[in-house]
Amino acid sequence: MKVMAIILAAGQGKRMKSKLYKVLHPVCGKPMVGHVLQTVKEANCERTVVVVGHGAEAVQAYVGEGAEFILQEQQLGTGHAVRQAEGLLAKEAGTTVILYGDTPLVTADTIKSLLELHTSKGAAATVLTAVVPNPQGLGRMIRDQSGQVQRIVEQKDCTPEQAAITEINTGMYCFDNIKLFEALKQVKNDNAQGEYYLTDVIEILNQAGEKVEAFCAPDYAEGVGVNDRVGLAEAEQLMRTRIVRRHQINGVTIIDPAATYIEADVTIGADTVIYPGTMLRGSTSVGTDCVIGPNTELADTIIGDEVEVKHSVLTSASVGNKSAVGPFAYLRPGAKVGARCKVGDFVELKNAELGDGTKVSHLSYVGDAKVGRDVNIGCGAITVNYDGYNKGLTEIGDEAFIGSNVNLIAPVKVGDSAYVVAGSTITHDVPAGDLAIARERQVNKAGYAEKIRKRAKAKKENTSKQS
Ligand code: UD1
Ligand code: CA
């Protein structure tokens, strides 16, 4: 049986009070509609149509190739929204799942269960319902004495008795596709809101003698839609807890889940330990047996196995197996650290490659550089990569030694096994195996210390007399 999905995402989301269209607001680093698309993909939907209206172009730009689009120019209700897909889908035999772009917490497991029940019962429609503590504002499920679903009544059309019902319509359903589009033709807008309600399809199918079923979500939170920033933070919290739990189940130790922020697409290997204050963002992947944090942010960064990263910020960087980073290191885009490296305190790397076994232990800036393996870069050594106009490349060969407080004025090359003594300012290439020294020769003046102290003291006394 062919399974299709329609995602309603035309609403403006006025209550968000935002320039950004509602379904593009991220939850755990991913736009809400992205979560819904992921869910329909995991539930094996073959064809996905997104109904767009407000912010159509932005939504379409984000979703890209992932779906087909249909424009709902005026938002005349959920029934009207689905009907926009008539031209694309009405003739397709199969099952259609309907979801909202602003309801990101629904899981693929729940959609699969909904589809299973729908298919096994041979239903024309199956509603995903939930029992909620506060049904205010939501459509209520009306069942007969035998428990069969009869219809859905919207809040604004409820009698007081109906308003007391706590089983609500999440707004997600699956339908026999042909029957859905047939029934939609009969939906009218003669209700309290003057809208074409998708929910009316339930009653229409019932009256036509079709079978209508309901599947109650195991956790009502799955059906919670985001309408404002309060709801956005609530969705974030729920999603965050869910993501952390998934990693825990996969063998990751998370010391304090409440103080750990892992975005939706991050992957982490088993036996890695995450300390509090850690944010793992975007497409970050962390290998096995790592120790990450405390207080570390990794964005779009690839970390190998057995890596330690403490109190550091890494963006679009990579770190090889068994390396250690931090505390207080800053790896900017293009930092590529090899295996068994050390990047220590107050080290900044940008667009710089470090070969295996290389150490930059303290207080360095290495930018626009290609550094070989087993290199030692001493404390305070820096690449001088910018003259105010141009960026220059620094190349350092394997097993080279760069002494403390060296300035490497780029573009410049230091050959394999070369030795640059501390305090040098290197302006010319250093051939492989050579020693480079580029600093003033030291002069000692015998006994001169006492003389200079006396002179300084006299100067001070003189100035304090004058004032
Ligand atoms: C709808 C249901 C209600 C259910 C609730 C769950 C109807 C008539 N009512 O309520 O039973 O309890 O969802 O959240 O269906 N949208 C469009 N185009 C439109 C109208 C809506 O794309 O013309 C989209 C919105 O962007 C939103 C979703 O559909 O993502 C739901 O719309 P919303 O107005 O929030 O739903 P309600 O009518 O309040
Ligand atoms: Ca809503």
Side-chain angles (χ1 to χ4, degrees):
M1 177 67 82
K2 183 167 184 174
V3 181
M4 296 156 274
I6 300 176
I7 299 174
L8 305 188
Q12 184 176 15
K14 263 195 202 135
R15 281 172 287 170
M16 296 297 284
K17 306 213 168 116
S18 179
K19 294 183 288 299
L20 189 64
Y21 296 103
K22 179 155 90 169
V23 297
L24 294 179
H25 276 267
V27 168
C28 292
K30 188 175 181 153
M32 288 195 269
V33 69
H35 286 283
V36 179
L37 283 158
Q38 175 78 22
T39 299
V40 301
K41 202 167 140 197
E42 282 171 26
N44 303 317
C45 295
E46 289 167 53
R47 210 175 153 182
T48 303
V49 176
V50 182
V51 181
V52 289
H54 287 279
E57 278 171 29
V59 176
Q60 212 161 328
Y62 167 70
V63 176
E65 304 285 281
E68 297 165 73
F69 299 91
I70 197 87
L71 185 67
Q72 185 193 22
E73 276 176 41
Q74 272 184 298
Q75 282 68 56
L76 304 179
T78 48
H80 180 260
V82 174
R83 212 176 158 189
Q84 305 307 301
E86 197 166 32
L88 279 178
L89 297 180
K91 294 199 175 78
E92 296 269 0
T95 304
T96 296
V97 184
I98 293 179
L99 306 101
Y100 295 161
D102 62 4
T103 306
L105 291 162
V106 66
T107 63
D109 280 347
T110 293
I111 298 301
K112 282 180 190 166
S113 302
L114 177 74
L115 279 162
E116 259 167 48
L117 183 82
H118 179 79
T119 311
S120 68
K121 297 271 182 179
T126 306
V127 185
L128 181 64
T129 71
V131 175
V132 297
N134 177 14
Q136 182 62 32
L138 297 163
R140 308 299 203 280
M141 299 305 299
I142 312 295
R143 293 175 182 260
D144 65 14
Q145 274 97 349
S146 68
Q148 282 299 306
V149 172
Q150 289 187 305
R151 57 198 182 98
I152 298 167
V153 179
E154 290 307 293
Q155 175 78 42
K156 289 189 178 137
D157 305 297
C158 271
T159 64
E161 294 76 49
Q162 288 168 337
I165 295 170
T166 56
E167 187 189 14
I168 58 91
N169 167 30
T170 64
M172 291 174 269
Y173 323 75
C174 52
F175 288 100
D176 174 294
N177 188 61
I178 304 269
K179 289 173 184 168
L180 166 66
F181 284 99
E182 277 304 314
L184 275 172
K185 290 180 189 160
Q186 299 173 49
V187 171
K188 294 190 190 73
N189 64 351
D190 52 353
N191 50 52
Q193 301 187 88
E195 286 183 5
Y196 295 92
Y197 289 167
L198 176 58
T199 45
D200 284 357
V201 165
I202 299 303
E203 195 178 5
I204 291 165
L205 289 171
N206 256 324
Q207 280 170 358
E210 297 287 353
K211 206 164 187 189
V212 176
E213 294 289 337
F215 176 76
C216 190
D219 177 1
Y220 75 85
E222 285 196 41
V224 173
V226 171
N227 294 316
D228 56 21
R229 309 273 182 158
V230 176
L232 186 66
E234 282 165 3
E236 177 89 20
Q237 172 91 40
L238 289 163
M239 183 72 81
R240 182 147 72 88
T241 306
R242 192 189 279 176
I243 291 169
V244 163
R245 187 155 303 174
R246 164 161 58 84
H247 291 294
Q248 289 171 319
I249 286 163
N250 289 342
V252 178
T253 294
I254 293 169
I255 305 289
D256 184 358
T260 305
Y261 304 80
I262 306 174
E263 291 186 354
D265 294 333
V266 170
T267 62
I268 311 172
D271 284 319
T272 283
V273 180
I274 313 279
Y275 279 86
T278 295
M279 293 191 88
L280 305 180
R281 316 183 56 183
S283 60
T284 292
S285 84
V286 177
T288 61
D289 302 285
C290 294
V291 178
I292 307 295
N295 303 325
T296 289
E297 179 178 349
L298 307 181
D300 303 320
T301 286
I302 299 166
I303 303 286
D305 299 331
E306 297 178 57
V307 172
E308 210 181 284
V309 185
K310 284 182 181 169
H311 297 277
S312 291
V313 176
L314 285 74
T315 303
S316 301
S318 67
V319 180
N321 297 344
K322 297 182 201 277
S323 287
V325 175
F328 315 114
Y330 182 25
L331 273 60
R332 292 165 53 201
K336 293 196 182 90
V337 175
R340 291 172 282 99
C341 288
K342 183 175 177 203
V343 177
D345 51 278
F346 307 102
V347 170
E348 175 176 336
L349 303 182
K350 185 219 67 173
N351 185 31
E353 233 173 272
L354 306 187
D356 296 346
T358 286
K359 293 184 173 61
V360 190
S361 298
H362 350 254
L363 300 157
S364 282
Y365 170 63
V366 181
D368 301 312
K370 214 168 157 355
V371 181
R373 63 164 174 80
D374 297 310
V375 170
N376 189 88
I377 295 184
C379 177
I382 62 164
T383 56
V384 183
N385 64 326
Y386 187 50
D387 62 8
Y389 299 94
N390 312 290
K391 295 273 164 72
L393 179 70
T394 300
E395 290 175 81
I396 302 174
D398 296 342
E399 294 180 24
F401 183 94
I402 309 296
S404 290
N405 211 33
V406 163
N407 298 314
L408 297 162
I409 308 214
V412 72
K413 277 184 202 172
V414 176
D416 290 351
S417 302
Y419 196 106
V420 178
V421 303
S424 293
T425 292
I426 299 298
T427 51
H428 296 88
D429 291 355
V430 182
D434 281 9
L435 178 133
I437 178 160
R439 63 187 188 205
E440 270 304 284
R441 204 170 266 282
Q442 180 173 333
V443 178
N444 291 346
K445 298 201 173 181
Y448 212 85
E450 189 50 28
K451 217 169 161 180
I452 208 155
R453 279 200 193 94
K454 270 189 190 147
R455 197 197 283 166
K457 202 174 156 205
K459 186 180 175 190
K460 188 179 175 192
E461 279 164 5
N462 201 21
T463 42
S464 56
K465 261 186 229 150
Q466 284 175 355
S467 62

